[in-house]
Amino acid sequence: VRHLDQDQLIDLALGWAHPNGEQQEHLHECGECRGEVARIASTAITTTAVLREGLPERLAEPPSRVWSAIEREVGAAGAGERPRRWRTPVLVAAAVLGLLVGSAITAAVLWGRTGDQQSAVPVATARLAVPGGGGGGAAGNAELVRSGGRQVLQVSASGLEAGRGYFEVWLLDAGGARMYVLGTLPADGATRFTVPDGVAPADFPVVDISLQEFNGDPAHSHNSVLRGRLRS
Amino acid sequence: VVSRRLQPATSASRWIDDECALRFAQGEQSALREIYEEYGRLVFSIGLAALRQQSDAEELTRQTFTEAWRSRESFEATKGSLRSWLLAITRNLVADRLRRLAQERELRRSSLVWESVTDPIVAVDRVVDRVLVAEELRKLPEQERTVVRLAFFEDLTQNQIAERTGLPLGTVKSHLRRGLGRLCGRWEGRGATP
């Protein structure tokens, strides 16, 4: 295959030339050349926009307090140590802390089983909060662990009022357009779900608890009472 | 085999060298300071452009570098440039922030929460893209920048640029090609040796 050369690619991308029959045919077949033309064209468009706006003379300088804050934070995390040595304890500490922040019931339910405690490897955690803030003290935690070759989501919540409904736990994608229902959250506010291996938490990182009505409709009620994003 | 892709010309001093990246990955804080010196302004400028609030931009910068430090093990110096890795962290944090803002706005309006919240990563990329293009433009040698400006801002053809500047057509072409190459390589950061 004879690809288009750089000058031709530029000419076509910038509209300085129209593709002749041969070039058209090649572009039709060659994704690589099409990609190059698109890349140059989009660069040209952005460049034009930047020049029209007026090119600032230099990048903005962050005030010195920003670095001071970074230094304080990373300094506290253990300066100069080998990452391997502290990373795992920190993860475990974070997981434990997450549970301490949650309700006492949770701690009892989730960590009462010694076997699980030893084999569960924390993967990601989420603090669950009332979407948009407020909401009279309802809060929760979710933790994704690998346990016995399965991914398990442990969910706990407190301060929720079911009223005449019940709670359901979901995993949503970042845009909230697609979701998996994991099951119902019992009245004591803590339970665990097996997440099917085909569901990648990276693609469905948002843990959501909805208040559902007893109306037989399996869809999300659009009434989210707690939500949070899993972070590793 | 010579790659046909437009390659950004390499200026070794411009990118954090591998040695610094290695020290960073091993947990040396002095390396983090060097990286901050090199990219702090870029991250902060992206924050200003995307979030528009000085305080949000400061917070973004702080988060980006502490997050980079925390997850430094996930960076492998051999695989890609530190810069693009850092940019990936930055854009995720910006997107998170925008999502939260959109969500809050949405919730105030109705109880149908998610439907109209579109993924802001596209908008973030547009903003980051502009900051990166501006940065590359500033770094272009004077003559190259002039040629690029005439081509894209004044909308002149290469022949017209040659007439206007008095440069030979061949020089105009090579300036434009090199300039475009640098601009096209803005996300990768470290360009392959031409």
Side-chain angles (χ1 to χ4, degrees):
Chain A
V1 188
R2 234 187 101 240
H3 288 295
L4 302 179
D5 67 31
Q6 282 188 348
D7 287 342
Q8 290 172 328
L9 290 169
I10 291 175
D11 282 350
L12 294 177
L14 303 186
W16 286 342
H18 291 292
N20 61 30
E22 199 181 322
Q23 289 172 333
Q24 236 163 25
E25 205 173 306
H26 178 75
L27 283 171
H28 189 68
E29 284 161 9
C30 176
E32 202 188 324
C33 281
R34 271 204 312 276
E36 273 300 279
V37 170
R39 200 164 74 112
I40 298 168
S42 107
T43 297
I45 290 167
T46 309
T47 305
T48 305
V50 169
L51 289 170
R52 290 229 167 103
E53 259 172 30
L55 187 61
E57 265 192 29
R58 60 181 68 86
L59 290 169
E61 187 83 44
S64 59
R65 59 175 171 267
V66 176
W67 172 254
S68 307
I70 296 168
E71 205 175 26
R72 263 200 312 279
E73 223 170 306
V74 307
E81 281 182 56
R82 293 266 147 193
R84 290 250 172 248
R85 277 215 301 271
W86 64 266
R87 189 159 183 173
T88 312
V90 164
L91 267 181
V92 172
V96 171
L97 192 68
L99 289 172
L100 288 179
V101 172
S103 68
I105 301 167
T106 321
V109 169
L110 299 182
W111 294 83
R113 306 165 214 185
T114 337
D116 287 341
Q117 188 176 353
Q118 280 167 355
S119 64
V121 181
V123 177
T125 56
R127 295 282 295 274
L128 306 180
V130 180
N141 282 285
E143 189 182 18
L144 188 71
V145 298
R146 279 217 80 89
S147 174
R150 296 178 303 148
Q151 35 183 15
V152 173
L153 188 73
Q154 305 171 330
V155 180
S156 68
S158 59
L160 291 178
E161 278 298 329
R164 283 202 231 165
Y166 64 100
F167 300 112
E168 220 158 24
V169 180
W170 307 75
L171 280 179
L172 313 184
D173 71 356
R178 296 181 305 143
M179 59 193 77
Y180 289 99
V181 63
L182 296 178
T184 57
L185 190 69
D188 69 1
T191 193
R192 40 171 55 201
F193 305 99
T194 297
V195 180
D197 273 338
V199 179
D203 297 332
F204 292 86
V206 178
V207 178
D208 178 278
I209 300 176
S210 67
L211 177 59
Q212 301 284 125
E213 288 176 42
F214 288 105
N215 57 7
D217 182 351
H220 193 290
S221 63
H222 293 307
N223 187 2
S224 294
V225 291
L226 284 176
R227 189 181 297 150
R229 193 185 180 86
L230 286 168
R231 288 169 206 285
S232 50
Chain B
V1 177
V2 178
S3 167
R4 293 176 321 105
R5 296 190 77 184
L6 289 172
Q7 296 291 2
T10 312
S11 155
S13 65
R14 228 203 273 156
W15 311 112
I16 288 280
D17 53 33
D18 290 343
E19 187 268 332
C20 174
L22 194 67
R23 284 191 293 118
F24 166 73
Q26 286 173 343
E28 266 189 47
Q29 265 193 54
S30 64
L32 183 67
R33 172 74 209 189
E34 287 167 43
I35 293 164
Y36 181 81
E37 294 283 331
E38 184 78 18
Y39 300 123
R41 280 167 298 147
L42 186 63
V43 172
F44 183 62
S45 298
I46 289 170
L48 283 177
L51 304 172
R52 296 178 188 272
Q53 302 278 345
Q54 163 93 12
S55 56
D56 283 351
E58 288 182 22
E59 177 62 11
L60 172 80
T61 311
R62 186 191 64 75
Q63 281 183 356
T64 299
F65 285 92
T66 50
E67 175 60 30
W69 179 254
R70 265 196 294 273
S71 55
R72 60 190 181 274
E73 275 183 279
S74 75
F75 171 73
E76 287 179 58
T78 47
K79 276 197 179 155
S81 76
L82 195 76
R83 178 177 176 274
S84 43
W85 182 74
L86 208 58
L87 282 176
I89 295 176
T90 306
R91 71 198 266 271
N92 283 338
L93 287 170
V94 173
D96 277 354
R97 175 91 185 118
L98 291 179
R99 257 182 223 124
R100 262 201 309 280
L101 289 173
Q103 217 171 300
E104 284 164 17
R105 268 200 303 276
E106 200 58 30
L107 270 155
R108 275 200 289 276
R109 236 187 0 240
S110 83
S111 63
L112 298 184
V113 184
W114 280 102
E115 272 60 25
S116 54
V117 182
T118 51
D119 197 325
I121 200 83
V122 180
V124 175
D125 280 353
R126 230 183 347 249
V127 172
V128 176
D129 212 28
R130 285 191 177 200
V131 174
L132 296 182
V133 162
E135 180 60 358
E136 290 304 325
L137 276 172
R138 275 189 291 266
K139 289 177 181 168
L140 288 184
E142 183 72 41
Q143 247 184 20
E144 270 176 48
R145 191 166 56 236
T146 303
V147 169
V148 167
R149 183 184 284 275
L150 291 174
F152 297 124
F153 186 62
E154 310 242 339
D155 215 12
L156 302 184
T157 65
Q158 304 187 81
N159 282 315
Q160 289 168 328
I161 295 171
E163 273 171 38
R164 175 81 72 92
T165 57
L167 294 168
L169 184 60
T171 309
V172 169
K173 280 190 175 176
S174 69
H175 278 343
L176 196 63
R177 196 186 305 162
R178 283 165 51 88
L180 261 176
R182 289 240 177 104
L183 295 170
C184 281
R186 64 195 175 277
W187 281 90
E188 289 88 357
R190 186 213 315 252
T193 316

